[in-house]
Amino acid sequence: MHDRSARHALLKSDLEQLAIFGGPPLFKTELHVGRPNIGNRQRFLARVADILNRKWLTNDGPCLKEFESRVCELIDVKHCIAVCNATAGLEVLVKSLRLSGEIILPSFTFVATAHALQWLGVRPVFCDIDPTTHNLDPKAAAELINPRTSAIIGVHLWGRPCDVEALVDLARRHKLRLLFDAAHAFACSHKGRMVGGFGDAEIFSFHATKFINTFEGGAVVTNKDELASRLRLMRNFGFAGLDNVSALGVNAKMNEISAAMGLVSLESLAEFVEINRANYHLYRQHLSTVPGVSLLAYNEKEKCNYQYVVLEVDQAETGIDRDMLDEILWSENVLTRRYFYPGCHRMEPYRSNDPDAGQRLRHTGAIAERVLCLPTGSAVAAAEIAAICGLIEFIVKSGPAIKNRMLSGPTCRHHLRRSTPAR
Ligand code: T4K
């Protein structure tokens, strides 16, 4: 890959060397969690030249059609409706299914899952997660069902599939629609079946930060013919033909340049997965002996995209909490992310709408305090991963001393950056 050469990294063995206490940062330039993977530039640029020559930039163009059929083949699903982003895809899907009232979903997800519902006037009802899988707990979901409930949305968080069978059973028993936010789970499988064909429909994100990207973009996938037709209409203002608007619609189309990027990304899918897999195993290997930190595991008997390297921090063992670790890593130019802190229920407008939701979201609250995503993807080199892990090991080893010094010193820049309190 183009940019995988290691940046200069100074190993640290003394508190004074930590950037947070005045030392030089471990890395001269920033390492990101969501650095985009870029496929073959020549092939992308050739496709862009074709688009410009054709003068067909959007509206059901040839790149879009090719991208949709490649996605269908890859995940063995009948219909792919590519959209301008996953959030718009979710909105179009909820509208196409005429959902109303309340929809049950996890709070431990990117806020887009909830916002898409709220935006349409449907009430998101947050449900707790299973603390081992980080996914929606079907038993907790069952307790939230009432006559206003119209659907359940499972989120395959970190690309690890939900308890699909239990959710299918629950939805069937209560005659509810079942959707999956599969923003993280493109090219992953569950019990040998590719994610994409479960429930009424699933949604992928192809945002720049996803391992397969279309700059901005997403797709709704389904095996249901009638739903697919409605989704296609709704994505394009409801146009059923020239001058023939047959339904309410919006503009949620994916343009040709995005679809071209998607096609080129798909050509490198195996390579991107292999890079993510190797990065994940390197982190595992280097961190296996560090007490109090563990990596969330993938079921490697299934297809995984390994796009998130998720560290769980057990403060009781490390002597330092997740937020302090995050703050120290940022000062060293390792831009870790606290996805999906603090949980949607502690963000607006949900915090004001349902101030007591936290009482039923015990696991969500606890997990949101422990998790930290580490840099990965094609922009991170093996030597950088070794240096990050060496740094984490040093921080954990010196946990109590670092904590004391941070608590007694002046508030640092990073602390200020994240000063918004969460209840
Ligand atoms: N459902 C779930 C479960 C999701 O996770 C998401 C999106 C959605 C639904 C909605 O999908 P979309 O409507 O976006 O298709 C990022 C992404 O913007 C978002 O797509 C993603 N989930 C979420 C998990 O991550 P932020 O707020 O963290 O983005 P930002 O700008 O802070 O970037 C993240 C990191 O990536 C930074 O370190 C900078 C780096 N980066 C980012 C971009 C855009 C780059 O290096 N280059 C880039 O071009 O949300």
Side-chain angles (χ1 to χ4, degrees), residues 32 34-36 86-87 109-110 181 183-184 205 207 209-210 337 339:
H32 294 270
R35 210 77 178 146
T87 311
T109 178
F110 190 60
D181 177 337
H184 301 177
S205 170
H207 181 261
T209 54
K210 297 293 180 281
R337 293 301 294 264
Y339 292 140

Side-chain angles (χ1 to χ4, degrees), residues 86 155-156 180-186 203-206 210 307-308:
V155 179
H156 303 305
F180 289 101
D181 177 337
H184 301 177
F186 187 63
I203 293 123
F204 295 120
S205 170
F206 300 119
K210 297 293 180 281
Q307 71 180 312
Y308 290 98

